[in-house]
Amino acid sequence: MRLYTLPALLGLLSLLFATAPAAAQTTAATPVPALATSDNLLDVAVSDSSTTYLVFGGPVSLVDVGMAGNYLVKIEANAVFVRAKRKHVPPTPMLIRYGSKYWMGRLVYTGRPVLQLYDFQKDGALRINGKSVSSTGAAPENELALDKEREKKAVVEGKLSQLRKAREEHQAVAVVDNDLVLSLANVRNDKDFTYLRFKVINKTNIDYNVDFTDFQLVENAQKKFLARKKNEARRPLAPSGGRPNQVITGRTTGYLTYAIPLYAATERGYLEVTLRELNGARVLVLPVPSRVINRAATI
């Protein structure tokens, strides 16, 4: 057995205590990866009975939905259309690339009809119903679409009911494609909305299930040099009333009614109405001249 003198023993103990803190500091300095949170994602209300519209300031090239099997997503130019495939689907994140930029939010199901427009066209800032809101956190609800202003919604639906009883007035505004006829039956205006009633004649034996009904205000800019080309400015209009998922059975005639936000168009402008089929490729596109809407009677 080796014997230590007292000075040597004290020196050995001091050496042990001096090295212990260094080891502890080395362990504490080891970096620990942190997880990013998504508390500030924008909540986008989605329903299974109507469509939510997201419009961006550039062409959309990518849409990635976390739970893709629960949502129906379509891309058209700078717009994204979203609808839940069934009731009570869980929330899921959604990533969208438009132009060279990215946007990320969260889809959240609501049992009420949505029919809502999220407009990100102006400097990436969110606008709903023409009003600027914060681009982070939960989005304010569309008061008409989510049935918050029950009286106003009742007025809109009441005027649509009146329009359904009117006699057809604009049969000349029509388009024929794939043995289907889409025509404008009636149009009315009030201080907030334009009310439209369409006639659909299904000459086939296959039911026409209307999935999406798109409305776009199209304005033709001045013609370019030698009139070779002309620019078109398009602005999506989200319907604020109407019945989704309407079916025109084979060999029958049906009527579709919608209310869209009131707008003013020039002589070169028109309203482009597009009917999209749920399980099929029969798309009907009807241009409604601006003069027909501008001169429509009030309701």
Side-chain angles (χ1 to χ4, degrees):
M1 186 175 81
R2 186 174 181 181
L3 297 176
Y4 291 91
T5 62
L6 182 58
L9 183 59
L10 292 176
L12 180 61
L13 291 175
S14 63
L15 180 62
L16 291 175
F17 282 108
T19 57
Q25 290 176 359
T26 304
T27 304
T30 303
V32 178
L35 296 177
T37 60
S38 57
D39 295 337
N40 292 327
L41 291 184
L42 175 69
D43 286 350
V44 175
V46 179
S47 170
D48 66 317
S49 61
S50 55
T51 304
T52 298
Y53 303 78
L54 296 92
V55 184
F56 296 89
V60 176
S61 57
L62 171 69
V63 176
D64 184 64
V65 177
M67 298 181 182
N70 292 333
Y71 296 90
L72 176 65
V73 179
K74 291 186 180 181
I75 301 174
E76 181 133 351
N78 64 330
V80 178
F81 310 137
V82 186
R83 178 180 293 184
K85 288 187 176 181
R86 57 183 179 275
K87 297 182 182 298
H88 306 300
V89 293
T92 187
M94 178 172 65
L95 176 69
I96 296 175
R97 182 174 66 203
Y98 63 99
S100 60
K101 300 180 180 179
Y102 287 86
W103 176 90
M104 189 171 185
R106 189 175 69 147
L107 301 179
V108 179
Y109 176 82
T110 175
R112 298 168 176 171
V114 180
L115 297 174
Q116 186 169 359
L117 173 65
Y118 292 80
D119 188 351
F120 298 94
Q121 295 182 93
K122 189 174 182 180
D123 302 326
L126 173 61
R127 297 174 65 86
I128 296 181
N129 293 342
K131 298 179 180 179
S132 297
V133 298
S134 172
S135 60
T136 59
E141 295 175 331
N142 180 325
E143 293 179 341
L144 175 64
L146 296 182
D147 200 15
K148 292 298 183 183
E149 291 186 359
R150 296 182 183 275
E151 293 182 2
K152 191 171 184 179
K153 184 175 178 64
V155 169
V156 171
E157 294 300 333
K159 292 183 178 181
L160 287 176
S161 297
Q162 294 180 35
L163 200 63
R164 296 184 187 106
K165 301 175 183 178
R167 187 175 64 179
E168 296 179 29
E169 302 163 325
H170 298 283
Q171 298 179 0
V173 182
V175 63
V176 181
D177 195 7
N178 293 314
D179 289 328
L180 295 165
V181 181
L182 172 62
S183 63
L184 176 67
N186 308 91
V187 57
R188 296 285 190 277
N189 294 318
D190 66 12
K191 63 184 182 64
D192 296 314
F193 299 99
T194 293
Y195 301 86
L196 300 158
R197 181 175 179 236
F198 300 99
K199 180 179 180 180
V200 181
I201 304 175
N202 187 355
K203 297 181 179 181
T204 72
N205 294 322
I206 302 174
D207 295 350
Y208 190 83
N209 190 344
V210 180
D211 183 23
F212 287 112
T213 304
D214 304 331
F215 298 89
Q216 288 202 15
L217 172 59
V218 182
E219 279 286 356
N220 295 331
Q222 295 290 342
K223 295 181 180 180
K224 290 187 176 181
F225 182 66
L226 297 180
R228 292 180 180 176
K229 295 180 181 179
K230 61 182 179 181
N231 296 328
E232 287 187 346
R234 291 176 172 264
R235 192 184 84 187
L237 296 171
S240 303
R243 299 173 182 173
N245 293 333
Q246 301 176 75
V247 179
I248 312 299
T249 57
R251 301 294 177 182
T252 65
T253 298
Y255 292 87
L256 311 173
T257 54
Y258 300 95
I260 62 174
L262 183 67
Y263 68 90
T266 68
E267 294 180 357
R268 297 187 303 273
Y270 63 92
L271 177 67
E272 184 177 276
V273 183
T274 304
L275 298 189
R276 302 182 185 278
E277 193 174 16
L278 178 60
N279 296 312
R282 297 178 295 178
V283 179
L284 295 172
V285 181
L286 175 66
V288 181
S290 61
R291 66 178 182 276
V292 174
I293 295 176
N294 292 343
R295 299 174 184 176
T298 58
I299 188 171

mmCIF file of all heavy atoms in Angstrom, residues 242-273:
data_model
loop_
_atom_site.group_PDB
_atom_site.id
_atom_site.type_symbol
_atom_site.label_atom_id
_atom_site.label_comp_id
_atom_site.label_asym_id
_atom_site.label_seq_id
_atom_site.Cartn_x
_atom_site.Cartn_y
_atom_site.Cartn_z
ATOM 1 N N GLY A 242 -76.141 31.215 -52.481
ATOM 2 C CA GLY A 242 -76.418 30.205 -53.483
ATOM 3 C C GLY A 242 -76.302 28.818 -52.904
ATOM 4 O O GLY A 242 -75.838 28.630 -51.783
ATOM 5 N N ARG A 243 -76.714 27.841 -53.676
ATOM 6 C CA ARG A 243 -76.713 26.460 -53.209
ATOM 7 C C ARG A 243 -75.604 25.668 -53.901
ATOM 8 O O ARG A 243 -75.571 25.583 -55.123
ATOM 9 C CB ARG A 243 -78.069 25.801 -53.507
ATOM 10 C CG ARG A 243 -79.244 26.484 -52.819
ATOM 11 C CD ARG A 243 -80.562 25.897 -53.278
ATOM 12 N NE ARG A 243 -81.693 26.571 -52.657
ATOM 13 C CZ ARG A 243 -82.960 26.338 -52.988
ATOM 14 N NH1 ARG A 243 -83.240 25.461 -53.947
ATOM 15 N NH2 ARG A 243 -83.935 26.991 -52.382
ATOM 16 N N PRO A 244 -74.680 25.069 -53.141
ATOM 17 C CA PRO A 244 -73.601 24.280 -53.747
ATOM 18 C C PRO A 244 -74.080 22.872 -54.099
ATOM 19 O O PRO A 244 -75.135 22.418 -53.658
ATOM 20 C CB PRO A 244 -72.549 24.231 -52.638
ATOM 21 C CG PRO A 244 -73.359 24.298 -51.379
ATOM 22 C CD PRO A 244 -74.551 25.172 -51.683
ATOM 23 N N ASN A 245 -73.270 22.169 -54.881
ATOM 24 C CA ASN A 245 -73.508 20.760 -55.214
ATOM 25 C C ASN A 245 -74.904 20.517 -55.769
ATOM 26 O O ASN A 245 -75.635 19.641 -55.320
ATOM 27 C CB ASN A 245 -73.281 19.873 -53.985
ATOM 28 C CG ASN A 245 -71.825 19.849 -53.561
ATOM 29 O OD1 ASN A 245 -70.936 20.040 -54.371
ATOM 30 N ND2 ASN A 245 -71.582 19.631 -52.288
ATOM 31 N N GLN A 246 -75.283 21.298 -56.765
ATOM 32 C CA GLN A 246 -76.582 21.113 -57.396
ATOM 33 C C GLN A 246 -76.442 20.149 -58.569
ATOM 34 O O GLN A 246 -75.464 20.182 -59.311
ATOM 35 C CB GLN A 246 -77.142 22.454 -57.859
ATOM 36 C CG GLN A 246 -77.287 23.441 -56.701
ATOM 37 C CD GLN A 246 -77.752 24.810 -57.149
ATOM 38 O OE1 GLN A 246 -78.905 24.992 -57.465
ATOM 39 N NE2 GLN A 246 -76.847 25.765 -57.188
ATOM 40 N N VAL A 247 -77.426 19.297 -58.749
ATOM 41 C CA VAL A 247 -77.379 18.257 -59.773
ATOM 42 C C VAL A 247 -78.470 18.516 -60.810
ATOM 43 O O VAL A 247 -79.644 18.680 -60.459
ATOM 44 C CB VAL A 247 -77.557 16.855 -59.155
ATOM 45 C CG1 VAL A 247 -77.529 15.782 -60.253
ATOM 46 C CG2 VAL A 247 -76.478 16.591 -58.118
ATOM 47 N N ILE A 248 -78.058 18.542 -62.088
ATOM 48 C CA ILE A 248 -78.998 18.639 -63.198
ATOM 49 C C ILE A 248 -79.069 17.237 -63.803
ATOM 50 O O ILE A 248 -78.141 16.798 -64.488
ATOM 51 C CB ILE A 248 -78.552 19.666 -64.257
ATOM 52 C CG1 ILE A 248 -78.144 20.994 -63.593
ATOM 53 C CG2 ILE A 248 -79.648 19.869 -65.280
ATOM 54 C CD1 ILE A 248 -79.238 21.656 -62.819
ATOM 55 N N THR A 249 -80.123 16.526 -63.513
ATOM 56 C CA THR A 249 -80.226 15.139 -63.972
ATOM 57 C C THR A 249 -80.347 15.087 -65.491
ATOM 58 O O THR A 249 -80.689 16.078 -66.148
ATOM 59 C CB THR A 249 -81.429 14.442 -63.322
ATOM 60 O OG1 THR A 249 -82.622 15.190 -63.622
ATOM 61 C CG2 THR A 249 -81.265 14.364 -61.816
ATOM 62 N N GLY A 250 -80.053 13.904 -66.038
ATOM 63 C CA GLY A 250 -80.083 13.736 -67.479
ATOM 64 C C GLY A 250 -81.452 14.003 -68.080
ATOM 65 O O GLY A 250 -82.488 13.690 -67.490
ATOM 66 N N ARG A 251 -81.460 14.656 -69.250
ATOM 67 C CA ARG A 251 -82.676 14.975 -69.999
ATOM 68 C C ARG A 251 -83.622 15.888 -69.221
ATOM 69 O O ARG A 251 -84.847 15.786 -69.341
ATOM 70 C CB ARG A 251 -83.417 13.688 -70.389
ATOM 71 C CG ARG A 251 -82.612 12.730 -71.245
ATOM 72 C CD ARG A 251 -82.317 13.318 -72.613
ATOM 73 N NE ARG A 251 -81.476 12.443 -73.426
ATOM 74 C CZ ARG A 251 -81.054 12.758 -74.661
ATOM 75 N NH1 ARG A 251 -81.402 13.920 -75.187
ATOM 76 N NH2 ARG A 251 -80.284 11.931 -75.338
ATOM 77 N N THR A 252 -83.055 16.779 -68.410
ATOM 78 C CA THR A 252 -83.886 17.726 -67.669
ATOM 79 C C THR A 252 -83.280 19.113 -67.767
ATOM 80 O O THR A 252 -82.169 19.306 -68.267
ATOM 81 C CB THR A 252 -84.017 17.341 -66.176
ATOM 82 O OG1 THR A 252 -82.729 17.440 -65.543
ATOM 83 C CG2 THR A 252 -84.574 15.940 -66.018
ATOM 84 N N THR A 253 -84.026 20.096 -67.252
ATOM 85 C CA THR A 253 -83.575 21.483 -67.187
ATOM 86 C C THR A 253 -83.579 21.936 -65.734
ATOM 87 O O THR A 253 -84.538 21.674 -65.001
ATOM 88 C CB THR A 253 -84.501 22.400 -68.008
ATOM 89 O OG1 THR A 253 -84.448 21.994 -69.387
ATOM 90 C CG2 THR A 253 -84.061 23.857 -67.900
ATOM 91 N N GLY A 254 -82.508 22.582 -65.322
ATOM 92 C CA GLY A 254 -82.406 23.065 -63.951
ATOM 93 C C GLY A 254 -81.956 24.511 -63.909
ATOM 94 O O GLY A 254 -81.502 25.079 -64.917
ATOM 95 N N TYR A 255 -82.082 25.114 -62.732
ATOM 96 C CA TYR A 255 -81.718 26.512 -62.548
ATOM 97 C C TYR A 255 -80.767 26.647 -61.358
ATOM 98 O O TYR A 255 -80.940 25.977 -60.336
ATOM 99 C CB TYR A 255 -82.953 27.373 -62.319
ATOM 100 C CG TYR A 255 -83.838 27.492 -63.540
ATOM 101 C CD1 TYR A 255 -84.824 26.539 -63.797
ATOM 102 C CD2 TYR A 255 -83.688 28.546 -64.436
ATOM 103 C CE1 TYR A 255 -85.632 26.639 -64.917
ATOM 104 C CE2 TYR A 255 -84.493 28.659 -65.565
ATOM 105 C CZ TYR A 255 -85.468 27.700 -65.796
ATOM 106 O OH TYR A 255 -86.258 27.809 -66.918
ATOM 107 N N LEU A 256 -79.763 27.525 -61.502
ATOM 108 C CA LEU A 256 -78.782 27.793 -60.452
ATOM 109 C C LEU A 256 -78.839 29.275 -60.106
ATOM 110 O O LEU A 256 -78.870 30.118 -61.007
ATOM 111 C CB LEU A 256 -77.369 27.425 -60.922
ATOM 112 C CG LEU A 256 -77.177 26.051 -61.566
ATOM 113 C CD1 LEU A 256 -75.768 25.920 -62.114
ATOM 114 C CD2 LEU A 256 -77.455 24.957 -60.555
ATOM 115 N N THR A 257 -78.843 29.596 -58.828
ATOM 116 C CA THR A 257 -78.887 30.996 -58.400
ATOM 117 C C THR A 257 -77.709 31.295 -57.487
ATOM 118 O O THR A 257 -77.363 30.484 -56.626
ATOM 119 C CB THR A 257 -80.195 31.309 -57.668
ATOM 120 O OG1 THR A 257 -80.372 30.373 -56.603
ATOM 121 C CG2 THR A 257 -81.378 31.247 -58.610
ATOM 122 N N TYR A 258 -77.121 32.484 -57.672
ATOM 123 C CA TYR A 258 -75.967 32.900 -56.883
ATOM 124 C C TYR A 258 -76.038 34.402 -56.618
ATOM 125 O O TYR A 258 -76.643 35.156 -57.395
ATOM 126 C CB TYR A 258 -74.653 32.594 -57.607
ATOM 127 C CG TYR A 258 -74.426 31.142 -57.911
ATOM 128 C CD1 TYR A 258 -74.784 30.611 -59.155
ATOM 129 C CD2 TYR A 258 -73.864 30.290 -56.967
ATOM 130 C CE1 TYR A 258 -74.588 29.268 -59.440
ATOM 131 C CE2 TYR A 258 -73.659 28.952 -57.243
ATOM 132 C CZ TYR A 258 -74.026 28.442 -58.479
ATOM 133 O OH TYR A 258 -73.834 27.105 -58.754
ATOM 134 N N ALA A 259 -75.385 34.809 -55.549
ATOM 135 C CA ALA A 259 -75.176 36.233 -55.260
ATOM 136 C C ALA A 259 -73.681 36.462 -55.176
ATOM 137 O O ALA A 259 -72.973 35.738 -54.486
ATOM 138 C CB ALA A 259 -75.846 36.630 -53.950
ATOM 139 N N ILE A 260 -73.178 37.457 -55.897
ATOM 140 C CA ILE A 260 -71.756 37.794 -55.862
ATOM 141 C C ILE A 260 -71.621 39.261 -55.478
ATOM 142 O O ILE A 260 -72.558 40.044 -55.653
ATOM 143 C CB ILE A 260 -71.069 37.535 -57.221
ATOM 144 C CG1 ILE A 260 -71.681 38.406 -58.308
ATOM 145 C CG2 ILE A 260 -71.146 36.062 -57.589
ATOM 146 C CD1 ILE A 260 -70.954 38.316 -59.638
ATOM 147 N N PRO A 261 -70.473 39.668 -54.926
ATOM 148 C CA PRO A 261 -70.291 41.075 -54.546
ATOM 149 C C PRO A 261 -70.497 42.010 -55.735
ATOM 150 O O PRO A 261 -70.062 41.731 -56.856
ATOM 151 C CB PRO A 261 -68.842 41.119 -54.053
ATOM 152 C CG PRO A 261 -68.554 39.725 -53.613
ATOM 153 C CD PRO A 261 -69.318 38.841 -54.557
ATOM 154 N N LEU A 262 -71.181 43.109 -55.492
ATOM 155 C CA LEU A 262 -71.446 44.090 -56.545
ATOM 156 C C LEU A 262 -70.135 44.705 -57.035
ATOM 157 O O LEU A 262 -69.236 44.988 -56.248
ATOM 158 C CB LEU A 262 -72.363 45.191 -56.004
ATOM 159 C CG LEU A 262 -72.805 46.266 -56.994
ATOM 160 C CD1 LEU A 262 -73.723 45.680 -58.052
ATOM 161 C CD2 LEU A 262 -73.506 47.408 -56.249
ATOM 162 N N TYR A 263 -70.016 44.909 -58.326
ATOM 163 C CA TYR A 263 -68.815 45.501 -58.912
ATOM 164 C C TYR A 263 -69.230 46.388 -60.083
ATOM 165 O O TYR A 263 -70.360 46.298 -60.588
ATOM 166 C CB TYR A 263 -67.846 44.415 -59.390
ATOM 167 C CG TYR A 263 -68.365 43.626 -60.567
ATOM 168 C CD1 TYR A 263 -68.102 44.020 -61.878
ATOM 169 C CD2 TYR A 263 -69.142 42.487 -60.381
ATOM 170 C CE1 TYR A 263 -68.596 43.308 -62.954
ATOM 171 C CE2 TYR A 263 -69.637 41.765 -61.452
ATOM 172 C CZ TYR A 263 -69.361 42.184 -62.731
ATOM 173 O OH TYR A 263 -69.863 41.474 -63.799
ATOM 174 N N ALA A 264 -68.318 47.198 -60.541
ATOM 175 C CA ALA A 264 -68.541 48.046 -61.712
ATOM 176 C C ALA A 264 -67.517 47.679 -62.776
ATOM 177 O O ALA A 264 -66.318 47.628 -62.494
ATOM 178 C CB ALA A 264 -68.420 49.519 -61.346
ATOM 179 N N ALA A 265 -67.973 47.419 -63.979
ATOM 180 C CA ALA A 265 -67.089 47.030 -65.083
ATOM 181 C C ALA A 265 -67.222 48.034 -66.226
ATOM 182 O O ALA A 265 -68.238 48.712 -66.367
ATOM 183 C CB ALA A 265 -67.423 45.624 -65.573
ATOM 184 N N THR A 266 -66.182 48.121 -67.037
ATOM 185 C CA THR A 266 -66.203 49.001 -68.200
ATOM 186 C C THR A 266 -66.855 48.279 -69.370
ATOM 187 O O THR A 266 -67.255 47.117 -69.274
ATOM 188 C CB THR A 266 -64.782 49.423 -68.575
ATOM 189 O OG1 THR A 266 -64.059 48.270 -69.054
ATOM 190 C CG2 THR A 266 -64.053 49.996 -67.368
ATOM 191 N N GLU A 267 -66.933 48.974 -70.508
ATOM 192 C CA GLU A 267 -67.521 48.377 -71.703
ATOM 193 C C GLU A 267 -66.702 47.188 -72.195
ATOM 194 O O GLU A 267 -67.233 46.301 -72.867
ATOM 195 C CB GLU A 267 -67.644 49.431 -72.806
ATOM 196 C CG GLU A 267 -68.629 50.541 -72.486
ATOM 197 C CD GLU A 267 -68.724 51.553 -73.607
ATOM 198 O OE1 GLU A 267 -67.964 51.401 -74.594
ATOM 199 O OE2 GLU A 267 -69.538 52.479 -73.508
ATOM 200 N N ARG A 268 -65.396 47.183 -71.885
ATOM 201 C CA ARG A 268 -64.550 46.069 -72.322
ATOM 202 C C ARG A 268 -64.554 44.919 -71.318
ATOM 203 O O ARG A 268 -63.909 43.910 -71.530
ATOM 204 C CB ARG A 268 -63.101 46.553 -72.510
ATOM 205 C CG ARG A 268 -62.943 47.603 -73.589
ATOM 206 C CD ARG A 268 -61.464 47.896 -73.828
ATOM 207 N NE ARG A 268 -60.799 48.320 -72.602
ATOM 208 C CZ ARG A 268 -60.750 49.571 -72.163
ATOM 209 N NH1 ARG A 268 -61.362 50.533 -72.849
ATOM 210 N NH2 ARG A 268 -60.125 49.877 -71.043
ATOM 211 N N GLY A 269 -65.255 45.071 -70.209
ATOM 212 C CA GLY A 269 -65.255 44.042 -69.183
ATOM 213 C C GLY A 269 -66.436 43.099 -69.308
ATOM 214 O O GLY A 269 -67.443 43.398 -69.958
ATOM 215 N N TYR A 270 -66.307 41.962 -68.654
ATOM 216 C CA TYR A 270 -67.405 40.990 -68.613
ATOM 217 C C TYR A 270 -67.204 40.078 -67.413
ATOM 218 O O TYR A 270 -66.116 39.986 -66.845
ATOM 219 C CB TYR A 270 -67.490 40.188 -69.907
ATOM 220 C CG TYR A 270 -66.284 39.328 -70.214
ATOM 221 C CD1 TYR A 270 -66.209 37.991 -69.813
ATOM 222 C CD2 TYR A 270 -65.201 39.847 -70.920
ATOM 223 C CE1 TYR A 270 -65.110 37.206 -70.101
ATOM 224 C CE2 TYR A 270 -64.096 39.077 -71.213
ATOM 225 C CZ TYR A 270 -64.052 37.752 -70.803
ATOM 226 O OH TYR A 270 -62.947 36.982 -71.080
ATOM 227 N N LEU A 271 -68.270 39.400 -67.032
ATOM 228 C CA LEU A 271 -68.226 38.427 -65.943
ATOM 229 C C LEU A 271 -68.106 37.032 -66.548
ATOM 230 O O LEU A 271 -68.966 36.614 -67.328
ATOM 231 C CB LEU A 271 -69.494 38.511 -65.087
ATOM 232 C CG LEU A 271 -69.599 37.489 -63.953
ATOM 233 C CD1 LEU A 271 -68.541 37.760 -62.881
ATOM 234 C CD2 LEU A 271 -70.994 37.515 -63.334
ATOM 235 N N GLU A 272 -67.037 36.325 -66.202
ATOM 236 C CA GLU A 272 -66.835 34.967 -66.707
ATOM 237 C C GLU A 272 -67.335 33.970 -65.662
ATOM 238 O O GLU A 272 -66.829 33.924 -64.545
ATOM 239 C CB GLU A 272 -65.362 34.723 -67.017
ATOM 240 C CG GLU A 272 -65.106 33.361 -67.637
ATOM 241 C CD GLU A 272 -63.639 33.163 -67.996
ATOM 242 O OE1 GLU A 272 -63.231 33.605 -69.094
ATOM 243 O OE2 GLU A 272 -62.910 32.600 -67.165
ATOM 244 N N VAL A 273 -68.318 33.186 -66.035
ATOM 245 C CA VAL A 273 -68.923 32.188 -65.147
ATOM 246 C C VAL A 273 -68.515 30.807 -65.631
ATOM 247 O O VAL A 273 -68.694 30.476 -66.802
ATOM 248 C CB VAL A 273 -70.460 32.314 -65.136
ATOM 249 C CG1 VAL A 273 -71.070 31.325 -64.152
ATOM 250 C CG2 VAL A 273 -70.878 33.734 -64.809
#
